[in-house]
Amino acid sequence: MLRILHFSDIHLRAPYSALPLSDIGPKRLLGAANLALRREAHFREASRKVAALLPFIEAQDVEAVICTGDYTALGTQEELRIAHDAIEKLTHRRHGFITVPGNHDVYVNSAVRERRFETHFAAFLHSDLPEYVADKPWPVVRLINDDVAVIALNSARPNPQLWRSSGIVPQAQLDALARVLADERIASRRVFLITHYAMRRRDGKYDHPWHGLTNADALVAVASQHSRLAILHGHIHWTYSHTLHGLSGRVFGAGSATFAGREGVWLYELDEGRATAIPGRWNGDCFVLDHGKSVAIFGA
Ligand SMILES: [Fe+2]
Ligand SMILES: [Fe+2]
C-alpha cells in the first residue's frame, strides 16, 4: 500500500520587522500589510499545525508528501526560509517531497526575478524525466514507483494589482504536459497532476476571474488525455473534491492545513486494485482521518 499526504496553503509568515521595504515598495506596503494583518488571525497557530504533520505521516506510514503551495504570506526571503525549515522534516519519506509555489510565494516581482522559490525549494524540484522540462524547472515529473507518477506544473505568478490573485499555466508547460502524458512511462502509471490553482470552486462553479486559474479548461483538456489522472490543488482554503466532465480521476483541493477552523489535508491510499482518498482534519491537537468520507480517486 502506497500512502501519499497532500497538504497546502500553510501561510507561514516572518515578523513584520523582517519585512524589507525594497521587496514590497512603499506604494504596496500599506495594502500588503493590511492583507497580511487580516489573514493573521486565521493562521496564528500555523507553525504548530505544520509541526503536527510529522507525527501524522509517521503514524500513517506515508511514503510521499505533496504540498500545493502558498507556504508564505508575502514571499519574502525570510518567509521562504522559515517555510522551508518548517517543512524540511516532512521531506525525507521514502518517495520524497513534490511541490509547486503558490501565488503568495511569488507575491512580488522581485521574488520571481530572484527565483526565490526555486532557490529555497531547489532540493524538491528535480524531474525524473528532465527531457520534458520546458519552463525551467517545470514540469517536474516524479516516478514514485512502478505504478504511480506525480507531475507538477507552476500556475502561480505575481499580480501587479492588489485585488487580483489569478493564475495561469504557461503554454510551454501545457505543451510539455501533453508530451509527458503520451510517454509510455506515464501512460502506464496512475498520475497525480499537481498545481496551486483550483479548477473549480467548492460549489462546482468557476472561480472568479481575479482569483482563479485563467486557463483551467485548457489544462483539464490536456489532462483528460490520460486514462487514470487526478488533479491536486490548493489556493482555495476549503478541503473538497469533485469530478469534472472528461477527466478520468477526481479533483482534490487540499484547502489549508493551518487555517483556523478549516484545517484539512488529503491522504491518498493506493494498492494494485484500489485508490482511495481520505480527508484529514485537525482536532485541536493533531490531524485525524475521516474514513467515513473516503472517495475513490479514479473512476466511480
Ligand atoms: Fe492560500
Ligand atoms: Fe493561493
Side-chain angles (χ1 to χ4, degrees):
M1 174 81 78
L2 171 68
R3 290 190 183 85
I4 301 174
L5 173 76
H6 172 203
F7 74 97
S8 201
D9 291 66
I10 56 177
H11 287 290
L12 299 173
R13 49 166 293 270
Y16 289 114
S17 55
L19 190 65
L21 270 174
S22 58
D23 254 19
I24 306 297
K27 278 186 190 163
R28 293 195 64 177
L29 182 60
L30 189 61
N34 260 335
L35 279 178
L37 278 169
R38 266 195 304 172
R39 305 172 71 91
E40 182 153 1
H42 297 309
F43 297 103
R44 189 165 287 143
E45 291 191 289
S47 301
R48 183 163 82 95
K49 294 163 191 170
V50 173
L53 289 172
L54 182 62
F56 180 71
I57 63 174
E58 287 173 345
Q60 297 299 330
D61 198 19
V62 164
E63 291 190 314
V65 177
I66 291 170
C67 176
T68 43
D70 272 2
Y71 289 89
T72 68
L74 297 169
T76 63
Q77 293 280 15
E78 182 65 2
E79 281 185 345
L80 285 163
R81 187 191 62 74
I82 287 170
H84 172 271
D85 290 354
I87 59 94
E88 206 273 334
K89 286 193 171 71
L90 305 174
T91 67
H92 300 291
R93 311 308 292 177
R94 181 175 172 207
H95 295 298
F97 187 78
I98 310 109
T99 191
V100 290
N103 52 305
H104 282 265
D105 307 320
V106 295
Y107 195 72
V108 289
N109 283 317
S110 52
V112 174
R113 203 167 50 240
E114 297 168 12
R115 297 183 69 79
R116 285 182 197 160
F117 181 83
E118 289 84 353
T119 303
H120 286 275
F121 289 79
F124 319 118
L125 300 179
H126 68 276
S127 179
D128 291 336
L129 302 181
E131 61 270 38
Y132 292 111
V133 171
D135 182 16
K136 201 175 173 191
W138 317 104
V140 170
V141 181
R142 209 68 66 75
L143 306 177
I144 299 293
N145 59 20
D146 289 346
D147 180 48
V148 176
V150 178
I151 304 171
L153 298 180
N154 178 22
S155 53
R157 59 176 176 181
N159 279 277
Q161 300 97 343
L162 280 175
W163 60 89
R164 254 185 45 186
S165 55
S166 63
I168 188 168
V169 177
Q171 189 63 42
Q173 292 185 46
L174 281 184
D175 294 344
L177 174 64
R179 293 193 292 273
V180 170
L181 294 179
D183 187 300
E184 180 51 35
R185 292 166 290 183
I186 298 301
S188 61
R189 283 173 159 89
R190 290 182 276 189
V191 170
F192 290 103
L193 176 62
I194 76 168
T195 200
H196 180 61
Y197 279 86
M199 304 306 109
R200 297 288 189 278
R201 298 189 315 205
R202 194 165 60 122
D203 60 7
K205 296 185 174 151
Y206 284 100
D207 202 352
H208 193 282
W210 289 350
H211 187 260
L213 182 63
T214 59
N215 60 349
D217 284 347
L219 177 59
V220 171
V222 177
S224 296
Q225 296 170 12
H226 195 281
S227 61
R228 291 179 301 169
L229 183 147
I231 298 180
L232 316 183
H233 67 83
H235 190 56
I236 293 177
H237 296 160
W238 292 96
T239 306
Y240 63 101
S241 90
H242 60 91
T243 56
L244 271 183
H245 181 70
L247 195 71
S248 51
R250 293 180 75 88
V251 180
F252 295 91
S256 167
T258 59
F259 189 109
R262 290 191 212 160
E263 303 90 344
V265 297
W266 282 103
L267 184 73
Y268 308 116
E269 288 189 341
L270 298 101
D271 62 20
E272 274 181 26
R274 213 169 54 88
T276 307
I278 309 157
R281 61 181 168 80
W282 176 250
N283 73 357
D285 291 312
C286 60
F287 285 95
V288 293
L289 292 171
D290 271 333
H291 284 276
K293 296 179 180 171
S294 301
V295 291
I297 299 172
F298 307 102

